[in-house]
Amino acid sequence: MPETIKPDLSGALRVNVVGCSGSGKSTFSKALADILEVRHIEMDALFWGPDWYWPSDEEFFGKLRTELSTDAWVLDGNYTRTIEIKWEKVDMVIWLDPGFPITFFRSVKRAFKRSLTREELWEGTGNRESFRQSFFSRKSVILWSVRTFRSIRRKYETLSVEERYSHIRFVRLRTRSETEAFLERVRKHHELAQRR
């Protein structure tokens, strides 16, 4: 099983943050990237085009390979079909797993806020969420998060112990206090390394 918390990122400059919708991937990823002073790459921003354009796998995979061609990054997102690409050179996978009540609450809160403010989700796409899309559609991200919660958890429980990924350090963070402690210890470690 993945370690609960071991934030030694010595030599780990390629990190993939995964988890269910509402687990806090983007917030955590941005904070971690800022601490490590590396690029934050959001997979949703790579995937979605203007007017909710859905790219072919060939197009999406090409963009992803280009973004991951550098030596240091924090990648935010799941997209299971890209695992062979994104985990080819990854050093650490951080799995945010706070549990269903929290992820559901965060998903609803985020959908409500985005629907109310009509904020553009990814710059230049014009993509925005509406109340109808978020709460009254079969394609609702809230409904999707409910339907996929268990399968995503089972997926990472399985992948984290597979022999072919034994070279990757897996870290599973379940609570807010664990994520905050992780980031704080990484910050201290990075500051110490910078002084050397």
Side-chain angles (χ1 to χ4, degrees):
M1 293 299 293
E3 301 161 1
T4 299
I5 178 168
K6 186 179 180 182
D8 180 11
L9 283 172
S10 302
L13 291 177
R14 295 176 295 269
V15 182
N16 182 202
V17 179
V18 300
C20 299
S21 179
S23 60
K25 294 187 298 296
S26 294
T27 300
F28 179 89
S29 296
K30 289 173 184 175
L32 181 61
D34 285 345
I35 292 170
L36 296 174
E37 300 177 277
V38 301
R39 292 174 58 237
H40 167 243
I41 305 169
E42 184 183 3
M43 294 193 75
D44 280 341
L46 287 181
F47 182 81
W48 292 108
D51 197 26
W52 297 103
Y53 171 72
W54 187 294
S56 65
D57 281 355
E58 182 180 4
E59 182 181 354
F60 179 40
F61 294 174
K63 285 183 178 180
L64 183 59
R65 286 191 178 96
T66 298
E67 291 294 319
L68 301 184
S69 62
T70 55
D71 293 331
W73 37 260
V74 174
L75 180 67
D76 158 16
N78 299 308
Y79 291 84
T80 304
R81 63 189 183 282
T82 68
I83 281 180
E84 297 309 315
I85 298 172
K86 66 179 186 171
W87 288 5
E88 181 182 5
K89 296 180 180 179
V90 78
D91 300 298
M92 178 179 286
V93 173
I94 300 175
W95 173 17
L96 302 185
D97 184 32
F100 180 74
I102 292 176
T103 56
F104 179 73
F105 172 77
R106 288 176 178 171
S107 294
V108 173
K109 180 180 178 181
R110 180 179 60 190
F112 183 82
K113 177 179 177 291
R114 288 178 173 177
S115 299
L116 186 65
T117 63
R118 298 288 291 161
E119 65 181 274
E120 184 179 38
L121 302 184
W122 307 287
E123 186 177 357
T125 64
N127 296 338
R128 294 174 169 83
E129 292 181 358
S130 65
F131 280 102
R132 180 177 181 181
Q133 181 182 17
S134 298
F135 294 94
F136 305 106
S137 168
R138 291 182 180 179
K139 296 181 180 180
S140 163
V141 67
I142 298 172
L143 185 59
W144 183 85
S145 67
V146 171
R147 289 175 173 171
T148 60
F149 177 83
R150 289 185 179 180
S151 63
I152 289 176
R153 175 176 271 184
R154 286 195 299 268
K155 174 178 66 179
Y156 288 116
E157 285 176 341
T158 300
L159 292 173
S160 63
V161 295
E162 285 192 9
E163 180 64 27
R164 58 179 169 157
Y165 299 126
S166 59
H167 63 288
I168 300 173
R169 284 182 283 173
F170 285 88
V171 175
R172 185 178 187 177
L173 303 176
R174 299 173 183 263
T175 66
R176 180 175 181 178
S177 60
E178 283 187 355
T179 58
E180 290 177 347
F182 184 97
L183 291 173
E184 182 58 28
R185 290 172 65 181
V186 171
R187 181 180 292 105
K188 290 180 179 179
H189 178 85
H190 185 67
E191 290 175 352
L192 180 62
Q194 293 294 93
R195 296 194 193 104
R196 294 174 181 170

